[in-house]
Amino acid sequence: MTMPNAVPGPTTSRRALLGGLAATALPARLAHADPAANIAALHRAAQAEGKLVYWSPEEVPIARAMIARFTATYPGIEVTQFRIEPASAAHRMLAEHRAGQVNVDVFNMPLLFMQPILEQQLVVPVDWVGLYGADPELVMYDGRAICGWDLEMPLCINTDLTSREAITAWEDLLAPAWRGRVLLEARGLPLAILMREPRDGGWGEARVLDYIARLKANDPVVLLGGSPAAEALASGRVAVAIGTYSSKIDLYRRAGGPVDWLTVGPIPSIVYVMCVSSGCAHPNAARLWAQWTAGPGAKDVFETANFGLVHGRALSPNGQKMRAAGARIVLEDSDVAANQRRLSLAAAAIGALK
Amino acid sequence: MWLLGALLAWLVAAPIGMLVLAALTADATHMPASRAPGLGAFARAWLDPATWGVMGTSLQFAAGSCALGLAIAALFAWAIERTDVPGRRLLFIAILAPMAIPGMIYATAWTQLLNSSNGLLNVAVTRIGFPQPRIGLLSLGGMILVQGLALASHAYLLIAAAFAAIDPSWEEQSRIAGRGAAGSLWRITLPLLRPALLAAAIYFFLVCIETFDVPGMIGLSAHIEVLSTRIYWATHPESGQLPDYGVASALALLLLLIALGLMRLHRGEAGRARRFVTITARGYRPRRVRLGRWRWPLLGLLCAILVPVAVLPLFMLVWRSLLRFYVFPSTAALNRLTWFGYRSVLGEPGSLHMLANTALVAGSAAVATVGLAAAIAFVSVRARSGVAGPWLRRGALLPQAIPSVVLGFAVMMLYLMLPIGIYGTIWIIALALTTKYLAGSAASLIAAQMQIAPELWEASALSGAGAWRTWRLIVAPLLAPAFANVALWVLIHAIRELAIAIMLYSPASSVVATQVWALWEGGQMTELCALGVLATALLVCLLSLPALVRLVRPARRGSAA
């Protein structure tokens, strides 16, 4: 599966261009055909900087595992994770950039929140392929982001209340037998992803809106947030949940929770990317981190931790299992404007958020 | 006076100025001050007919919750502080214990108790042979019930000192005139308490209008929108856009107008402060009302009220903290109990740093808030402050009308623009919390100050004592219970406050509230409930300390009347 590389938003301004050139000065001097030599030089420059501030929404244990592996591979850099939700991160970065107090070096962000980041020129373009040998298909938005991982959002069930066999298609949940037993997360993220055109694996907007209308007629429980949704599912309040992650369900299941995820397709999947902040204090450490997360070193950490996080086109371990079971995975669109329109449509159709 | 005005301008007027700036210049694509001013946000917020529909629902929600919470709090305050009901110390601890539970957990506990599919109470009723009841939370009534119950502890702490400070001679004279305990309560006690109750009512009305926990947890599922959820969605857009701080600020300014309207009521009472004096120079002997044969029925009633206020939510919190996943309580379920949540919370690396930050933030916010509120109370009630007094009082009460998420944003923008080096430190959180809780503190201390007769000052002055000495030796000891209550109240709220901490914290300034949020976001409900239980246990231990009890509850210098 190819990650589109289109760049939405305005063209680069003179100010941003100058900022980008300043930030890329060191790698440009170092650039030659050998990515390994470039990365070694980048490591030395990052060691001179000594620190790295990483903003991301993933849970602290995942970030700790990443940091431990990174510092084992690239010693001499003190990495601090600041756990922050994407929406908060986006507007906080904007506010800090406007005030000239940039506190983030590198950040991890779902595509969903990339529009203001790109529009406001908060990230530096990097030649990930030429300098560091990154897979070209992982590079997005003209080098302003490098693809991180995807998270699948399948239909999830409480195994005490229903069986895997009871649901073979999304349409099954429209039957009267499921009245009041289905949870729908209020923001409707997976349904928005399913609005992608059929040629991209989705259902298209009209079919999804019709599905939401019929599902609402079946009196679903509407809750806000993927975690409360998973909790409600595990506690037996509902039998099926739409809007939580397979990785979260895995965590619950490993802890003995009566939950599971289904391989009923199509399965929506959101995509996270890594970006280097413009004007950051530690640009070389930021690049070193970002290129590392796009390489085999970080992939190994995610798969070992089994958090379902892995690099873009290969799909997460869960995504690979789903695909092996015959389910079609629908990745979030990299056209951020289209994403936003679909999310607004889905949330409005669900109607919990006014 | 000028120093006080300057402090208030810094803490209150500056963030409100930032709100006005945001309302004029921000929208879903622009941060404040990044475009020419305009009235677009006001038009989107104020001219949208839906806003006024939502406003109506908000007013109903706030009025109902406030009435329920204050009624419970007033009953407990009267029983504990004014009567000889048995078990007062335990009642005192029990009514305050739920304060340590974060609001979203309290609401979630009630969802687990009463949801229509597997709510504990619904299932329990069915299991003992009754038909499936139709007790549900998903209605405006359900939201009012949970919010009102959650409010009771907080309201108790702010009004208890006023109950304790009533001179019993008024009630004795009422008895001599032939009125019973209930009649004296209705005709004497409650009218004397009107400023304190009115101040608390105004304050908690504003709290209910801006709170998000219950509307977010229950209202969303019930498809009931209130103003706080509207503001929340303006600042947390579902479609990945920038938050529309223009609309959020315009809505917050609407709340400020409501707050100003409500304060006109309070201004009238403050202007007649002399009518509410209960502590005079003629001898102040706080004594209890003897209930006689009504002691035990009253205790029964209070215990019955404590079941929904404290026992059920706390039971759910403890039960959930001992399980990886919720199961209905049974002997079989006992085999699943685990200490996992407690081990995780206590073994978390960085806990000590986080606790130290929390203690510093909450402690400094409590000290600053009480100090500032005490000064405002003195100036606005007793000092010859002319027109400045009412302005100080109004200014102090305004921040409560600003939703935390909007206040956090305003403070963040303010200190990003002001190069004084506190952005990203714990001190910006402490400052924002001081602003946030100044309103409740000032409301409570103004009411307490109004109960002290000016003759005390005059008598002291005639004896040659200066103002500071009078305040230190006479007024401060009389107000000590109110100071202690307010300090405790700010301390607990500063530890619990989520929205402000999340908006302003940095890797170096994480506090318990940010940890609560991280656990919530991560779906780590077992650890979150364990943290809630530990916080509640800590509060109960603190409240059980005789020294603190003596401070928080006034010393009894007389025997039961």
Side-chain angles (χ1 to χ4, degrees):
Chain A
M1 189 169 295
T2 301
M3 296 305 298
N5 214 16
V7 185
T11 53
T12 306
S13 69
R14 190 174 57 179
R15 185 177 160 200
L17 188 62
L18 289 173
L21 283 174
T24 53
L26 175 61
R29 283 202 308 274
L30 298 170
H32 58 71
D34 182 3
N38 285 343
I39 291 170
L42 189 62
H43 181 208
R44 287 192 296 276
Q47 280 178 317
E49 291 168 351
K51 289 185 177 176
L52 174 70
V53 178
Y54 169 51
W55 287 17
S56 67
E58 69 257 13
E59 282 88 350
V60 172
I62 302 175
R64 278 191 192 136
M66 289 170 68
I67 291 168
R69 180 64 66 90
F70 175 78
T71 48
T73 311
Y74 299 109
I77 303 158
E78 182 190 338
V79 184
T80 304
Q81 184 219 12
F82 180 37
R83 189 181 184 280
I84 183 168
E85 293 310 305
S88 303
H91 76 78
R92 206 158 152 172
M93 278 192 276
L94 266 171
E96 292 185 355
H97 270 82
R98 281 182 54 80
Q101 292 190 39
V102 179
N103 290 305
V104 53
D105 295 316
V106 63
F107 59 89
N108 180 20
M109 184 71 74
L111 291 183
L112 168 63
F113 291 96
M114 283 302 288
Q115 180 149 352
I117 305 279
L118 295 170
E119 279 182 353
Q120 305 287 332
Q121 317 279 3
L122 302 189
V123 289
V124 192
V126 178
D127 180 8
W128 300 107
V129 179
L131 289 171
Y132 310 121
D135 182 340
E137 292 193 51
L138 298 181
V139 178
M140 302 177 73
Y141 309 127
D142 283 348
R144 287 182 282 173
I146 187 158
C147 190
W149 46 71
D150 66 282
L151 287 175
E152 288 73 23
M153 305 184 82
L155 293 176
C156 301
I157 59 167
N158 180 303
T159 51
D160 287 344
L161 299 176
T162 189
S163 65
R164 295 178 62 87
E165 295 72 31
I167 303 164
T168 56
W170 285 70
E171 281 76 7
D172 290 348
L173 302 177
L174 305 176
W178 295 100
R179 188 172 187 82
R181 300 177 67 204
V182 177
L183 185 149
L184 184 55
E185 201 278 323
R187 288 168 295 198
L189 179 56
L191 293 164
I193 295 172
L194 284 187
M195 283 183 186
R196 291 193 74 175
E197 293 303 313
R199 65 174 178 274
D200 299 317
W203 283 354
E205 290 177 5
R207 183 175 168 189
V208 172
L209 291 175
D210 176 61
Y211 182 83
I212 293 173
R214 290 160 69 198
L215 189 64
K216 277 180 69 181
N218 221 11
D219 197 19
V221 172
V222 179
L223 272 186
L224 175 65
S227 296
E231 172 70 16
L233 184 69
S235 71
R237 186 174 169 191
V238 289
V240 184
I242 300 173
T244 189
Y245 304 103
S246 64
S247 57
K248 193 157 295 268
I249 293 299
D250 281 345
L251 285 174
Y252 275 54
R253 190 175 51 187
R254 281 200 295 275
V259 290
D260 203 353
W261 46 263
L262 304 181
T263 53
V264 172
I267 296 174
S269 182
I270 64 171
V271 177
Y272 282 73
V273 291
M274 200 71 73
C275 304
V276 175
S277 176
S278 62
C280 64
H282 313 105
N284 295 297
R287 284 156 181 265
L288 189 65
W289 174 272
Q291 68 80 27
W292 173 77
T293 61
K299 177 176 184 289
D300 189 34
V301 178
F302 304 143
E303 289 185 344
T304 306
N306 198 20
F307 289 119
L309 305 175
V310 78
H311 303 283
R313 60 188 180 147
L315 292 181
S316 71
N318 282 346
Q320 291 172 36
K321 286 178 200 166
M322 291 166 192
R323 183 182 279 169
R328 190 170 71 240
I329 308 292
V330 185
L331 282 176
E332 188 180 4
D333 199 337
S334 63
D335 179 345
V336 286
N339 264 347
Q340 290 197 348
R341 189 186 69 252
R342 291 172 190 145
L343 275 156
S344 295
L345 281 173
I350 292 169
L353 317 179
K354 304 291 190 324
Chain B
M1 180 81 75
W2 289 109
L3 177 64
L4 200 55
L7 276 174
L8 214 55
W10 176 34
L11 287 171
V12 177
I16 290 175
M18 188 53 71
L19 281 188
V20 174
L21 181 69
L24 290 172
T25 59
D27 59 24
T29 52
H30 293 90
M31 296 296 278
S34 63
R35 69 178 176 94
L39 297 174
F42 286 100
R44 291 198 305 283
W46 292 17
L47 300 183
D48 181 355
T51 298
W52 299 100
V54 166
M55 176 66 81
T57 311
S58 288
L59 294 177
Q60 288 178 59
F61 171 68
S65 309
C66 201
L68 177 62
L70 272 177
I72 295 172
L75 178 64
F76 273 81
W78 174 72
I80 294 171
E81 306 297 345
R82 303 292 309 133
T83 75
D84 62 346
V85 69
R88 292 187 296 278
R89 188 163 168 180
L90 283 177
L91 287 170
F92 167 76
I93 293 171
I95 187 68
L96 289 182
M99 274 212 324
I101 307 174
M104 63 173 66
I105 302 301
Y106 195 88
T108 304
W110 271 102
T111 307
Q112 195 59 64
L113 283 164
L114 274 183
N115 80 67
S116 56
S117 54
N118 72 339
L120 185 142
L121 294 180
N122 284 330
V123 173
V125 167
T126 310
R127 287 197 179 182
I128 57 178
F130 290 100
Q132 175 74 35
R134 288 187 172 275
I135 309 171
L137 278 181
L138 301 185
S139 64
L140 186 59
M143 289 167 63
I144 288 172
L145 173 73
V146 176
Q147 185 64 46
L149 294 173
L151 205 69
S153 311
H154 308 266
Y156 170 82
L157 200 55
L158 284 194
I159 65 174
F163 274 82
I166 291 176
D167 187 340
S169 63
W170 293 97
E171 289 162 332
E172 284 165 16
Q173 288 170 32
S174 171
R175 298 266 187 86
I176 292 166
R179 287 203 179 91
S184 300
L185 172 68
W186 187 249
R187 297 298 298 270
I188 303 295
T189 312
L190 290 179
L192 281 172
L193 288 166
R194 203 165 69 197
L197 292 176
L198 187 62
I202 291 170
Y203 174 74
F204 285 110
F205 188 86
L206 294 172
V207 167
C208 292
I209 284 193
E210 74 94 12
T211 192
F212 178 75
D213 298 328
V214 171
M217 293 294 129
I218 299 174
L220 190 79
S221 301
H223 299 280
I224 294 172
E225 194 186 18
V226 294
L227 210 53
S228 63
T229 43
R230 202 171 184 78
I231 290 173
Y232 182 85
W233 292 120
T235 54
H236 295 74
E238 76 280 3
S239 55
Q241 298 147 322
L242 274 180
D244 190 342
Y245 281 110
V247 161
S249 300
L251 288 170
L253 290 170
L254 188 60
L255 289 181
L256 281 180
L257 291 179
I258 295 172
L260 282 171
L262 290 170
M263 281 169 212
R264 288 188 67 82
L265 295 172
H266 192 246
R267 188 178 61 174
E269 299 292 82
R272 299 188 296 274
R274 178 73 217 183
R275 286 176 53 182
F276 307 105
V277 166
T278 61
I279 302 172
T280 68
R282 289 194 298 268
Y284 164 61
R285 296 177 302 124
R287 285 176 299 182
R288 298 184 180 283
V289 175
R290 284 196 170 190
L291 294 170
R293 62 196 167 93
W294 291 104
R295 289 177 79 217
W296 294 102
L298 178 62
L299 178 63
L301 175 66
L302 297 175
C303 289
I305 293 171
L306 279 175
V307 171
V309 170
V311 176
L312 287 173
L314 280 172
F315 168 77
M316 190 52 78
L317 191 70
V318 173
W319 180 248
R320 186 63 189 82
S321 74
L322 292 169
L323 291 163
R324 296 300 297 267
F325 302 96
Y326 172 77
V327 287
F328 187 83
S330 64
T331 47
L334 294 177
N335 295 325
R336 299 195 190 188
L337 297 188
T338 170
W339 294 108
F340 167 81
Y342 295 90
R343 281 200 303 269
S344 297
V345 168
L346 296 173
E348 174 69 18
S351 290
L352 278 180
H353 177 68
M354 187 180 68
L355 286 173
N357 277 348
T358 306
L360 264 177
V361 166
S364 53
V367 169
T369 308
V370 172
L372 197 55
I376 289 166
F378 170 70
V379 169
S380 63
V381 178
R382 289 287 169 247
R384 289 172 186 159
S385 53
V387 294
W391 279 104
L392 286 176
R393 191 166 57 239
R394 269 177 245 162
L397 292 177
L398 278 179
Q400 188 50 49
I402 308 173
S404 293
V405 65
V406 182
L407 179 63
F409 171 74
V411 171
M412 178 182 85
M413 292 302 297
L414 184 65
Y415 291 104
L416 273 170
M417 290 181 179
L418 286 178
I420 58 173
I422 66 165
Y423 181 78
T425 70
I426 57 171
W427 304 114
I428 190 174
I429 303 176
L431 271 178
L433 292 171
T434 302
T435 303
K436 176 75 183 172
Y437 295 112
L438 185 59
S441 309
S444 182
L445 293 184
I446 286 170
Q449 182 81 54
M450 285 166 68
Q451 290 182 306
I452 296 180
E455 294 98 308
L456 284 167
W457 288 89
E458 292 156 11
S460 180
L462 284 175
S463 307
W468 166 242
R469 196 159 179 228
T470 304
W471 193 88
R472 187 167 55 89
L473 295 179
I474 297 174
V475 178
L478 289 170
L479 289 179
F483 287 152
N485 282 8
V486 169
L488 183 64
W489 179 82
V490 175
L491 197 72
I492 291 167
H493 280 76
I495 292 169
R496 300 168 23 128
E497 172 63 48
L498 276 174
I500 287 176
I502 290 164
M503 191 68 79
L504 298 173
Y505 88 116
S506 69
S509 62
S510 60
V511 289
V512 166
T514 56
Q515 177 67 5
V516 165
W517 183 247
L519 292 173
W520 173 262
E521 278 288 323
Q524 296 164 274
M525 193 58 77
T526 306
E527 295 93 321
L528 182 55
C529 289
L531 191 61
V533 171
L534 290 173
T536 307
L538 183 65
L539 177 64
V540 168
C541 289
L542 281 173
L543 293 173
S544 305
L545 294 175
L548 187 64
V549 172
R550 274 200 297 277
L551 194 62
V552 175
R553 293 179 53 202
R556 302 291 171 190
R557 284 177 288 171
S559 59

